[in-house]
């Protein structure tokens, strides 16, 4: 019953989003990163390049599903709906084991209809994978505590589940001491132990062995592929700095070094933060050293400002417990307009439903159950150990998801106990718990967090971003304008509007909007870069160069204005200045592919193929997901007569960007020149299958058919 309710609700929400949400097929931010990474894996790049920046389990699962079902998004969402429905069963079983059958069924039904979770399971996010793993580990461990004899295989399985969860979200490792204590307790309470040290250690060793089985291959892969034996991923240091820096607010990604907003993709963010760490250290850094650099900055800040840090943690604790759902990628409440079902399951009427109701009950249940239900203590300890990993970073709705099953189980146990007390007419504990829950409900349903996070134009701004990324610039411009009419001080919308106007070639308006933004943010490097692009569109090269130089002065780690200055110099025939500008762009951001690409092409056109190859090869090392560098590396090798060497980088470019005809065309030409006619024909056929009217491909097909070398 629980599974059926959960699956029906999830499939219904996905159908409603498919019908109503214009972004259904356009994943954003984390979802986009995961989907694109999975595409790379499904297309054959199973090892990847470099050390993992983020934990890899979820993208690899997506890649596996894509390999089986194709890259369509519906199969993924259906699988995630099934997994989410299975999570409802696991919650039922854990609650049943702790509080009994009725509380278990109540927990499962609550989870089956938990609106925020249903929403997140419709995105390409890793939480649908980690929650069932964590719950299965808890269910197994709690079961072993009740057995009369010690068994090691279940503890090995508990460790295995935690290890698999860790390679999706490493935060779970902070709870390992709780499970080790459970194993120790399971052994100590067995007859005949009599103070011996060895029996209590055996479950811990089995658990740790299971824990390392999934983690060790990831560590070895990082050492072999990336040259740095990072345990899982190296994102932790940056995350700690995001949560603990002078401008951190606990709810949004804010650091002093760069301006972060939803327009920056993860590739750009990683490149910037890696380059900043290298620049501040004054030497090349390995990924583990980059993570340590950011960790050190965070710890230095905390030690230098202990009162401020403790106050911020206290504030984030309140955010964590507040009923309002803080969306870190989108406004969940505004998202309801695409789904009547979500509208029914997420709302505010006196309280923020559902967490504004369940959260206070769970907090009261922690105290009651700690005394009355001994096995519930492990759930409370799990929550208390996991919570610092949220408070130390961002206390958003998505990041608190791993705690929600515990809250639902505890609240369900208390609700059933309240019903039992009422039937038994035990009024004192009944009234005390109700009074405590009401008091907490009032405190945790205050609208202060909502007022801080929501503004009239934010929803329109997010919708504009969606169209902006899809290239629908006119619609994005309209929505940015509406957002600014609602909220004139929504400066991110004003800056993005200027860039959208540039992309839509409305140069004069772009200049005007850029100046309107710069009145408030006079040292915003990206805004000056946008202004320079607008001037360039107007044909005013002098003003464009001045704007780009200003952008370069204010943005020490911003590579784009240097690239633009190099392009202007090259257009004027000043190759020396162009080389200097491109190299400066690379120094500013060592992962900025367009600068390497421009410099490599400049060398190639200047008759310096060896220098071009060296620059482009460096780009493929520093930014291995930039297809133009791979393609142009192959082109330069072809021009140099190194045909066999040209094939691998060209094939890699096709893997990265299979839908760009010119990349396949160049590979087809290389195959043809090598005499590999069948391979050449296959690439040409792929181009024409996507675009039958592609004239260069048709001409190349004719040339191949006539056995003429182009």
């Amino acid at each position: 019953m629980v599974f059926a309710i959960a699956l029906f609700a999830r499939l219904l929400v996905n159908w409603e989003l498919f019908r109503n949400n214009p972004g259904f097929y356009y994943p954003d931010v984390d979802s986009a990163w995961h989907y694109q990474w999975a595409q790379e894996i499904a297309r054959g790049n199973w090892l990847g390049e470099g050390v993992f920046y983020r934990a890899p389990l979820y993208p690899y699962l997506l890649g596996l599903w894509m390999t089986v079902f194709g890259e369509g998004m519906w199969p993924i969402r259906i699988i995630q709906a099934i997994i989410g429905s299975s999570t409802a069963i696991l919650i039922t079983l854990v609650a049943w084991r702790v509080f009994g059958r009725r509380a278990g069924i109540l927990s499962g039904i609550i989870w089956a209809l938990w609106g925020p979770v249903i929403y997140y399971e419709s995105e390409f996010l890793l939480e649908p994978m980690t929650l069932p793993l964590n719950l299965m580990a808890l269910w197994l461990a709690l079961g072993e505590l009740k057995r009369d004899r010690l068994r090691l295989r279940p503890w090995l399985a508990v460790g295995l589940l935690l290890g698999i969860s860790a390679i999706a979200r490493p935060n779970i490792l902070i709870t390992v001491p709780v499970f080790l204590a459970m194993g120790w307790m399971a052994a100590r309470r067995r007859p005949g132990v009599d103070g011996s040290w060895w029996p209590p250690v055996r479950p811990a060793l089995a658990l740790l062995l299971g824990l390392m089985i999934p983690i060790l291959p990831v560590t070895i892969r990082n050492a072999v592929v990336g040259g740095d034996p990072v345990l899982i991923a190296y994102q932790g240091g940056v995350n700690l700095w995001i949560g603990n820096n002078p401008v951190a607010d606990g709810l949004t990604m804010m650091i002093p070094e760069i301006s972060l907003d939803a327009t920056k993709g993860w590739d750009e963010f990683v490149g910037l933060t890696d380059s900043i760490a290298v620049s501040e250290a004054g030497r090349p850094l390995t990924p583990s050293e980059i993570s340590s650099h950011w960790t050190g900055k965070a710890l230095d800040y905390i030690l230098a400002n202990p009162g401020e840090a403790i106050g911020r943690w206290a504030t984030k604790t309140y955010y964590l417990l507040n009923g309002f759902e803080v969306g870190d990628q989108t406004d969940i409440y505004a998202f309801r307009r695409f789904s009547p079902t979500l509208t029914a399951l997420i709302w505010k009427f006196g309280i923020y439903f559902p967490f504004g109701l369940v959260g206070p009950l769970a907090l009261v249940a922690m105290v009651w159950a700690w005394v009355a239900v001994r096995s519930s203590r492990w759930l409370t300890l799990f929550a208390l150990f996991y919570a610092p990993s949220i408070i130390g970073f961002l206390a958003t709705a998505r990041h608190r998801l791993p705690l929600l099953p515990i809250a639902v189980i505890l609240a369900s146990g208390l609700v059933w106990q309240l019903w039992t007390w009422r039937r038994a007419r035990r009024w004192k504990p009944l009234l005390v718990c109700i009074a405590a829950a009401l008091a907490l409900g009032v405190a945790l349903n205050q609208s202060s967090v909502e007022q801080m996070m929501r503004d009239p134009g934010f929803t329109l701004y997010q919708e504009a971003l969606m169209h902006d990324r899809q290239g629908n610039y006119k619609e994005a411009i309209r929505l940015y304008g509406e957002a600014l009419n609602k909220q004139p001080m929504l400066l991110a919308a004003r800056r993005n509007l200027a860039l959208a106007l540039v992309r839509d070639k409305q140069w004069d308006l772009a200049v005007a909007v850029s100046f309107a933004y710069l009145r408030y943010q006079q040292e915003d490097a990206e805004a000056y870069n946008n202004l320079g692009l607008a001037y360039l569109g107007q044909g005013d090269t002098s003003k464009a160069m001045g704007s780009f130089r200003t952008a370069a002065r204010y943005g020490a780690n911003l590579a784009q204005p240097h690239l633009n200055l190099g392009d202007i110099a090259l257009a004027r025939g000043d190759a020396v200045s162009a080389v200097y500008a491109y190299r400066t762009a690379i120094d500013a951001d060592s992962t900025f592919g367009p600068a390497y690409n421009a410099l490599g092409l400049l060398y190639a056109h200047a008759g310096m193929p060896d220098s071009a190859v060296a620059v482009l090869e460096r780009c493929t090392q520093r930014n291995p997901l930039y297809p133009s560098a791979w393609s142009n590396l192959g082109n330069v090798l072809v021009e140099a007569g190194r045909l066999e060497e040209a094939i691998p980088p060209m094939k890699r470019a096709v893997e990265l960007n299979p839908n760009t005809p010119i990349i396949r065309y160049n590979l087809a030409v290389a195959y043809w020149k090598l005499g590999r006619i069948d391979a050449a024909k296959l690439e040409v056929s792929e181009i024409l299958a996507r675009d039958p009217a592609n004239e260069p491909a048709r001409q190349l097909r004719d040339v191949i058919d006539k056995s003429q070398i182009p």
Side-chain angles (χ1 to χ4, degrees):
M1 178 189 68
V2 167
F3 181 85
I5 293 171
L7 185 60
F8 177 78
R10 282 153 177 76
L11 294 178
L12 179 59
V13 166
N14 273 292
W15 175 255
E16 291 169 346
L17 296 177
F18 165 70
R19 294 290 301 273
N20 303 318
N21 178 17
F24 184 81
Y25 287 114
Y26 298 93
D28 195 13
V29 196
D30 284 22
S31 291
W33 174 296
H34 293 150
Y35 188 81
Q36 291 162 6
W37 187 353
Q39 285 179 309
E40 290 293 309
I41 295 166
R43 292 167 185 170
N45 186 22
W46 285 91
L47 276 180
E49 293 87 13
V51 172
F52 287 133
Y53 178 74
R54 305 186 76 175
L57 176 65
Y58 180 64
Y60 272 81
L61 284 175
L62 283 187
L64 177 62
W65 298 342
M66 288 181 181
T67 302
V68 176
F69 300 107
E71 296 183 4
M73 296 183 181
W74 262 111
I76 297 171
R77 288 184 162 109
I78 291 173
I79 292 171
Q80 293 191 167
I82 294 171
I83 292 172
S85 304
S86 302
T87 303
I89 294 178
L90 288 168
I91 287 177
T92 301
L93 294 175
V94 173
W96 194 326
R97 184 154 278 176
V98 176
F99 293 113
R101 173 175 173 271
R102 292 177 177 84
I105 294 173
L106 177 60
S107 296
I109 293 173
I110 291 173
W111 191 262
L113 299 174
W114 194 278
V117 169
I118 295 173
Y119 159 71
Y120 283 120
E121 288 173 355
S122 73
E123 298 284 342
F124 302 129
L125 300 171
L126 54 87
E127 278 70 23
M129 302 299 104
T130 59
L131 297 185
L133 292 167
N134 300 344
L135 287 163
M136 180 65 79
L138 279 168
W139 182 73
L140 280 175
L142 288 168
E144 291 307 300
L145 283 169
K146 296 182 178 182
R147 291 192 180 275
D148 294 330
R149 64 186 183 88
L150 180 63
R151 303 188 307 169
L152 295 183
R153 287 184 180 178
W155 293 107
L156 179 71
V158 168
L160 188 65
L161 289 164
L162 293 174
I164 297 171
S165 180
I167 60 174
R169 187 178 282 285
N171 303 41
I172 194 63
L173 293 176
I174 201 172
T175 69
V176 167
V178 176
F179 290 92
L180 292 174
M182 294 173 79
W184 181 86
M185 185 65 71
R188 290 292 297 172
R189 61 188 296 270
R190 299 293 178 269
V193 173
D194 297 330
S196 175
W197 64 271
W198 175 240
V201 170
R202 293 170 66 201
L205 292 177
L207 189 152
L208 292 174
L209 175 62
L211 184 71
M212 291 310 301
I213 288 173
I215 293 176
L216 192 58
V218 178
T219 307
I220 294 172
R221 180 262 170 212
N222 283 336
V224 173
V225 176
D228 191 4
V230 174
L231 187 65
I232 297 173
Y234 74 98
Q235 184 185 12
V238 173
N239 283 352
L240 190 64
W241 178 239
I242 288 172
N244 302 273
N245 68 75
V247 300
D249 66 359
L251 296 174
T252 55
M253 294 178 62
M254 298 175 61
I255 59 177
E257 291 80 5
I258 53 178
S259 173
L260 293 174
D261 59 39
T263 61
K264 281 187 172 62
W266 273 106
D267 286 332
E268 184 178 1
F269 172 76
V270 174
L272 285 170
T273 52
D274 284 2
S275 294
I276 291 168
V278 169
S279 175
E280 291 179 348
R283 63 180 179 85
L285 298 177
T286 64
S288 58
E289 289 174 331
I290 290 172
S291 184
S292 297
H293 174 84
W294 292 111
T295 300
K297 290 189 69 168
L299 294 177
D300 289 344
Y301 167 75
I302 292 169
L303 293 174
N305 306 275
E308 187 175 324
I310 292 170
R312 184 172 282 118
W313 295 335
T315 301
K316 285 192 280 188
T317 301
Y318 178 74
Y319 295 159
L320 175 65
L321 300 175
N322 190 270
F324 181 72
E325 303 285 349
V326 179
D328 63 333
Q329 295 191 32
T330 188
D331 184 343
I332 296 176
Y333 297 94
F335 208 85
R336 299 181 312 155
R337 70 192 187 277
F338 301 130
S339 168
T341 304
L342 286 181
T343 302
L345 298 177
I346 309 172
W347 43 263
K348 179 189 178 184
F349 187 75
I351 63 169
Y352 292 104
F353 184 85
F355 191 72
L357 174 63
V358 172
L361 289 171
L363 291 174
V364 175
M366 278 187 176
V367 179
W368 157 73
W370 185 274
V371 177
V373 185
R374 292 176 62 88
S375 58
S376 74
R377 296 177 182 180
W378 300 111
L379 301 181
T380 298
L381 287 172
F382 177 91
L384 293 177
F385 268 72
Y386 193 91
S389 71
I390 304 171
I391 295 167
F393 178 45
L394 298 179
T396 67
R398 183 161 69 94
H399 294 105
R400 75 181 176 191
L401 280 181
L403 296 182
L404 294 188
I406 307 300
V408 168
I409 292 168
L410 289 171
S412 298
L414 178 62
V415 167
W416 185 248
Q417 185 61 51
L418 293 174
W419 176 255
T420 303
W421 284 335
R422 191 201 70 81
R423 294 180 64 184
R425 298 182 181 276
R426 295 187 59 190
W427 303 113
K428 183 176 179 180
L430 175 69
L431 294 175
V432 168
C433 287
I434 290 176
L438 287 173
L440 286 170
V442 171
L444 299 178
N445 281 280
Q446 298 295 314
S447 60
S448 55
V449 180
E450 177 184 8
Q451 291 171 356
M452 181 170 59
M453 291 301 297
R454 302 182 74 187
D455 60 64
F458 189 70
T459 301
L460 289 165
Y461 167 65
Q462 288 192 312
E463 192 173 343
L465 284 175
M466 188 188 308
H467 288 282
D468 204 340
R469 293 190 186 95
Q470 297 173 26
N472 301 329
Y473 299 125
K474 292 190 184 301
E475 183 63 11
I477 289 167
R478 184 186 70 80
L479 290 167
Y480 283 135
E482 289 189 16
L484 289 168
N485 288 334
K486 298 271 187 185
Q487 188 72 14
M489 292 305 295
L490 189 57
L491 296 181
R494 196 176 298 276
R495 186 179 67 183
N496 292 345
L497 172 59
L499 184 56
L501 289 166
V502 167
R503 289 167 172 165
D504 200 46
K505 299 182 180 180
Q506 299 186 46
W507 317 117
D508 295 343
L509 273 176
V511 169
V513 171
S514 295
F515 275 114
Y517 172 81
L518 288 167
R519 282 205 303 269
Y520 301 101
Q521 298 289 335
Q522 298 179 8
E523 298 183 2
D524 189 314
E526 292 185 19
Y528 279 106
N529 187 71
N530 295 342
L531 179 61
L533 292 173
Y535 279 138
L536 205 57
Q538 290 179 330
D540 195 331
T541 307
S542 297
K543 286 185 178 179
M545 291 178 67
S547 298
F548 293 141
R549 288 181 180 130
T550 304
R553 184 169 69 252
Y554 287 136
N557 299 106
L558 188 64
Q560 187 67 52
H562 297 291
L563 174 69
N564 296 336
L565 287 168
D567 290 343
I568 291 173
L570 191 62
R572 290 178 166 182
D574 187 354
V576 174
S577 296
V579 169
Y580 175 78
Y582 295 147
R583 290 195 171 278
T584 305
I586 293 169
D587 291 339
D589 181 356
S590 61
T591 66
F592 189 60
Y596 289 102
N597 196 54
L599 182 60
L601 291 177
L602 189 156
Y603 284 143
H605 294 152
M608 303 166 62
D610 292 340
S611 296
V613 168
V615 168
L616 292 169
E617 284 181 340
R618 186 181 169 202
C619 181
T620 62
Q621 295 164 4
R622 295 297 301 162
N623 189 349
L625 299 181
Y626 186 65
S628 295
W630 290 102
S631 181
N632 286 324
L633 174 59
N635 293 338
V636 172
L637 290 170
V638 168
E639 291 297 322
R642 297 157 63 178
L643 296 176
E644 289 289 353
E645 294 177 60
I647 297 299
M650 285 185 160
K651 289 175 66 176
R652 181 64 183 132
V654 170
E655 291 171 0
L656 289 169
N657 199 347
N659 297 320
T660 301
I662 186 61
I663 294 178
R664 284 190 182 275
Y665 178 89
N666 291 336
L667 177 58
V669 170
Y671 277 138
W672 173 242
K673 287 185 175 182
L674 276 169
R676 296 167 62 177
I677 295 174
D678 290 341
K681 285 184 175 181
L682 178 62
E683 296 302 328
V684 172
S685 298
E686 288 287 344
I687 298 172
L688 294 174
R690 290 175 169 83
D691 180 13
N694 188 293
E695 188 59 30
R698 293 168 66 178
Q699 291 178 2
L700 180 59
R701 181 189 59 190
D702 294 340
V703 168
I704 293 173
D705 290 341
K706 294 176 182 177
S707 299
Q708 294 177 355
I709 297 178

